[in-house]
Amino acid sequence: MTLDFLGTLQRTHLCGDLRSTHSGETITLMGWVNRRRDHGNLIFLDLRDRSGITQVVLDKEVSPDAHAKAEAARPEYVIAVTGVLRKRGEGLVNPNMPTGEVELVAHSLLLLNDAKTPPFSPAEDAIGNEEVRLKYRYIDLRRTEMQHNFALRSRVAMAIRNYLVSQGFLEIETPFMTRSTPEGARDYLVPSRVHPGHFYALPQSPQIFKQILMVSGFDRYFQIARCFRDEDLRADRQPEFTQIDLEISFPQMSTIFAVAEGFLRAAFSAAGIDLGTEPFIQMTYDQAITRYGIDKPDMRLPAIVDLSATLTPELRDTLKIDPTLPVLGFTIPSVGELSGTARKALLSEIRAFFGDSGLDLLDLTRLRTNETFAPLAEAISAKLSQELQAFHQASHNQQPTTNNPASDLAVVITPKPGTPALWNYDPQWIYKRVGALRLDLAKKFADKHKLFDQTHTAADFKFLWVTDFPMYEWNEETKTWDAAHHPFTSPHEEDIQSGALVNDKGSVRALAYDIVLNGTELGSGSIRIHRKDVQSEIFRSLGMTDEEAKARFGFFLDALEYGTPPHGGIALGLDRIVMILAGAQSLREVIAFPKTAKAIDLMVDAPTTVSDQQLRELSLRTVTRS
RNA sequence: GGGGACGUAGCUCAGUUGGUUAGAGCGCUGCCCUGUCACGGCAGAGGUCGCGGGUUCGAGCCCCGUCGUCCCCGCCA
């Protein structure tokens, strides 16, 4: 088979755009053969480009030459077809495709390129084997779903750019090759050839640069910035990822919230979702922990309820519940009535989840059958259903899927006597354990409560600001207080004035905030420290001597001394936003060339070893560790 | 670093208690077919059962190790 040259031929339309209004026009399409249906003297080719598919008809009587070439064509061959668009006759219309009312009657066909039989067909639905998909990513990306994901990503990014520019932001690029800062995530390092033994680091975020841009008077900066972190991966974590990074001079927290909400509305609107004008919900970190047991609450589910008040000391005693610790409960709606065996299995599953931590499940069903405890069971049920009603109202749920309270799964967790109030110096560990169970069970019963189902409306997306994060976190391993956010985050001004920075680090609140969507952290930011004296104080409070601080951040401390305005900002993960909008379960669905869980690029096969010559130039030697 | 799931034809998967020549669907190749659109019909090719070792008369199946993919914990200021 000989391939044809393109010559001067130009394409006139895209496959997916053709409608009956085009009928009679002479049209040239170019694209990939999606499918071929050979009926002998009549051949149908489904021709695909990024816009969609059009059926091409090759009739031996119309053009023997084109028909012969179509006979040789195979899936994924690249062809050019010129012909006349025809409205399909009665009974020949395909209502399942947008172009199903027309077909292109080919007069000539060029075979522009052939194709080996692909390992999987882009014409099929997604295949399960991600290894193969990633190795042949160029074929995978031809699939309609992937084409949609990246068109969506492009639209979303553009909407955000346009919005931020309209709000007076300047897009400024910051270096990829910069300085290693050993705190936080591990850095990817780049050896310097010119300076043997010295390394650049790829940025974990443009944090210090954007703060210096505020010192430089740019007032409002943004960047759709690639960031790099050498940590283990997850479905929602890749070693290189993209952040919408911004910084504002002279802001209040509300200024930053308004900007972030503004560009999210623009982004969602670009995806066909109208988020309305209501400001996003806000809650403090402490509220998030006590109400949801996590710092990134999934607001698609009912909250945790503190049931301590329903229990008298006597009841606690007879039921063997710790007298001082909270009793917590929550509801998973519409689970349906569980059979005796299913209930028992769930019980032991929950008890296994808690292990020997001291937490236990209170069996409401059994409680109810006992005369002494029936009133308690009633009181607990009443409190839980009160919360459930508030939840349905707040989330504007249409009728809950069932109205039968017995079908809602009530889970009540009690601490046994002697359960430690602190685990790993964390007074909130009980809330966090119960919060984790809440998410586990919600995932388990997702097909029952359907609260995670997509309706492709604003109701699918529950946004939330979490504010007032703690400034410090106790690190039991090193016996030190670490910065919970990063060391440039400003504490509340009252907490500086009260001296808590020195006396009571655990109580210091940071002017730091996260934005959360459906239980996923989309981004976080803070009001920064703009005074040298406060910044030095924070470094000292983190156990850094002035000399160490100077060695690591001297340039930054210097910059702070030359007229730094109050400033603050935020960074949101673009990949995660697009992932949620696309309804995808993994970032790999919205990153064109992602890495595997072991941080390998299966297509280009990276990382690799390099030649001795390259190592010599960099003054590097590799050693094998046992 | 730890836990779990998976690995059999190009793809999706089946494979009984360890027992003859490892199967199916899709895809692929050839021939036939003028209204299909997941076209159809006939014929055919295609396998180091992830890899290495062990147990056994005999291993896709049992045991040990190892590699890879996915999910989770740790980690991600």
Side-chain angles (χ1 to χ4, degrees):
Chain A
M1 182 195 52
T2 50
L3 294 176
D4 298 305
F5 289 100
L6 180 58
T8 57
L9 189 64
Q10 288 189 314
R11 130 177 114 154
T12 62
H13 293 76
L14 293 175
C15 297
D17 294 344
L18 298 177
R19 295 292 182 276
S20 52
T21 51
H22 296 94
S23 56
E25 290 180 35
T26 297
I27 280 169
T28 299
L29 297 175
M30 300 188 191
W32 289 261
V33 175
N34 199 56
R35 278 206 175 82
R36 184 178 69 115
R37 292 178 293 281
D38 186 345
H39 291 238
N41 289 329
L42 188 71
I43 297 173
F44 299 98
L45 294 181
D46 288 343
L47 189 61
R48 183 189 73 235
D49 61 27
R50 129 180 167 201
S51 66
I53 291 173
T54 283
Q55 172 166 283
V56 177
V57 188
L58 294 113
D59 191 328
K60 204 169 189 176
E61 286 174 14
V62 174
S63 170
D65 183 54
H67 177 272
K69 282 180 175 167
E71 240 170 5
R74 292 291 179 272
E76 301 312 308
Y77 276 31
V78 183
I79 63 172
V81 185
T82 303
V84 176
L85 200 74
R86 175 167 74 192
K87 199 169 170 175
R88 294 200 199 179
E90 194 86 357
L92 301 181
V93 169
N94 184 346
N96 298 320
M97 54 197 293
T99 62
E101 289 199 342
V102 294
E103 60 192 6
L104 187 63
V105 182
H107 296 158
S108 78
L109 189 154
L110 298 182
L111 291 171
L112 299 177
N113 216 339
D114 59 3
K116 285 169 68 174
T117 301
F120 58 94
S121 167
E124 306 283 329
D125 290 338
I127 66 161
N129 190 339
E130 255 201 286
E131 225 170 323
V132 180
R133 286 180 59 199
L134 289 176
K135 179 165 184 202
Y136 300 94
R137 188 60 157 175
Y138 35 87
I139 296 170
D140 187 41
L141 291 174
R142 285 181 195 165
R143 291 170 38 232
T144 310
E145 189 187 346
M146 297 304 264
Q147 296 269 321
H148 279 157
N149 286 356
F150 288 94
L152 172 68
R153 184 175 176 132
S154 175
R155 281 202 311 277
V156 164
M158 188 54 67
I160 292 170
R161 265 207 174 85
N162 287 340
Y163 178 83
L164 289 174
V165 168
S166 81
Q167 298 298 306
F169 284 80
L170 293 184
E171 186 170 18
I172 301 175
E173 287 160 279
T174 54
F176 271 14
M177 291 163 61
T178 177
R179 187 192 161 91
S180 178
T181 53
E183 291 80 15
R186 264 185 291 271
D187 286 323
Y188 278 101
L189 297 175
V190 180
S192 162
R193 173 183 57 82
V194 183
H195 303 282
H198 289 59
F199 295 82
Y200 302 96
L202 304 180
Q204 297 173 28
S205 89
Q207 184 62 34
I208 290 184
F209 288 104
K210 69 173 172 177
Q211 289 192 237
I212 287 178
L213 287 171
M214 294 304 101
V215 179
S216 310
F218 283 105
D219 197 78
R220 292 189 153 207
Y221 140 96
F222 87 100
Q223 183 179 192
I224 299 189
R226 196 69 63 83
C227 304
F228 306 86
R229 291 178 192 175
D230 186 5
E231 296 293 342
D232 287 351
L233 290 81
R234 289 283 188 284
D236 62 354
R237 261 161 47 189
Q238 283 273 314
E240 53 177 309
F241 57 101
T242 304
Q243 296 222 307
I244 301 143
D245 189 55
L246 64 86
E247 196 76 6
I248 301 176
S249 290
F250 310 110
Q252 293 295 331
M253 246 168 46
S254 57
T255 321
I256 291 158
F257 289 5
V259 166
E261 290 181 22
F263 80 63
L264 282 168
R265 285 199 179 85
F268 275 65
S269 162
I273 308 275
D274 179 6
L275 291 181
T277 53
E278 288 266 300
F280 296 175
I281 300 171
Q282 299 180 21
M283 72 175 70
T284 65
Y285 172 86
D286 282 337
Q287 286 171 329
I289 297 293
T290 51
R291 299 279 286 139
Y292 297 91
I294 192 165
D295 59 358
K296 42 181 180 179
D298 191 333
M299 303 298 284
R300 295 174 300 178
L301 303 165
I304 295 171
V305 182
D306 192 326
L307 300 166
S308 305
T310 59
L311 285 142
T312 60
E314 294 72 41
L315 277 171
R316 284 202 187 227
D317 194 50
T318 23
L319 287 169
K320 295 201 171 52
I321 296 171
D322 187 282
T324 54
L325 295 171
V327 171
L328 303 175
F330 59 84
T331 308
I332 307 288
S334 307
V335 165
E337 308 240 14
L338 293 177
S339 70
T341 19
R343 202 172 56 85
K344 265 192 179 159
L346 189 65
L347 236 76
S348 60
E349 196 177 308
I350 291 171
R351 291 198 165 121
F353 177 88
F354 286 127
D356 59 359
S357 66
L359 296 186
D360 196 14
L361 186 81
L362 188 67
D363 191 341
L364 270 188
T365 315
R366 261 184 60 191
L367 218 58
R368 222 173 256 122
T369 61
N370 180 313
E371 241 175 78
T372 322
F373 300 124
L376 173 63
E378 278 320 305
I380 288 174
S381 295
K383 277 206 107 173
L384 285 175
S385 69
Q386 197 184 335
E387 168 60 33
L388 189 62
Q389 270 184 14
F391 163 77
H392 282 308
Q393 253 169 27
S395 52
H396 308 292
N397 276 359
Q398 314 82 338
Q399 272 316 86
T401 23
T402 66
N403 250 334
N404 175 10
S407 80
D408 299 321
L409 176 67
V411 180
V412 179
I413 305 302
T414 59
K416 294 180 202 164
T419 296
L422 299 174
W423 262 51
N424 286 324
Y425 294 80
D426 184 355
Q428 298 173 320
W429 75 271
I430 290 180
Y431 296 97
K432 290 176 184 168
R433 287 304 288 161
V434 173
L437 178 68
R438 167 179 173 267
L439 290 179
D440 256 28
L441 293 180
K443 208 181 279 178
K444 184 184 166 88
F445 292 112
D447 54 333
K448 294 285 193 341
H449 59 68
K450 301 188 192 304
L451 293 170
F452 298 158
D453 286 11
Q454 302 266 320
T455 62
H456 304 287
T457 65
D460 295 350
F461 307 100
K462 305 291 189 203
F463 286 93
L464 170 72
W465 289 104
V466 180
T467 62
D468 299 292
F469 274 75
M471 184 75 187
Y472 299 100
E473 245 166 28
W474 179 251
N475 184 335
E476 178 58 19
E477 234 170 79
T478 57
K479 311 275 183 200
T480 52
W481 288 99
D482 294 350
H485 193 54
H486 56 59
F488 316 112
T489 300
S490 175
H492 274 248
E493 291 177 0
E494 311 90 86
D495 293 345
I496 304 178
Q497 285 161 343
S498 72
L501 236 44
V502 185
N503 307 327
D504 185 12
K505 291 199 175 68
S507 79
V508 178
R509 294 161 299 158
L511 288 171
Y513 33 83
D514 277 7
I515 184 158
V516 176
L517 170 53
N518 294 352
T520 298
E521 179 195 323
L522 277 193
S524 66
S526 62
I527 300 296
R528 328 293 184 189
I529 298 163
H530 63 278
R531 276 167 38 176
K532 160 85 188 270
D533 58 337
V534 178
Q535 186 66 71
S536 297
E537 179 59 39
I538 294 294
F539 282 146
R540 274 196 293 273
S541 76
L542 290 168
M544 225 183 279
T545 65
D546 288 358
E547 289 70 39
E548 280 172 329
K550 195 166 181 206
R552 284 182 191 172
F553 301 109
F555 68 100
F556 183 65
L557 290 170
D558 286 349
L560 286 183
E561 293 191 283
Y562 290 92
T564 300
H567 61 286
I570 193 166
L572 276 78
L574 175 65
D575 316 274
R576 285 185 180 175
I577 293 172
V578 178
M579 174 178 89
I580 291 173
L581 275 173
Q585 296 303 309
S586 158
L587 288 185
R588 294 184 298 277
E589 303 299 320
V590 296
I591 294 175
F593 303 103
K595 313 257 185 309
T596 68
K598 288 233 170 99
I600 290 183
D601 182 326
L602 287 174
M603 187 181 74
V604 305
D605 186 25
T608 60
T609 56
V610 296
S611 70
D612 288 344
Q613 165 71 15
Q614 284 172 293
L615 287 175
R616 261 199 305 280
E617 281 182 347
L618 295 168
S619 312
L620 291 180
R621 189 180 301 140
T622 57
V623 276
T624 316
R625 267 193 311 193
S626 50

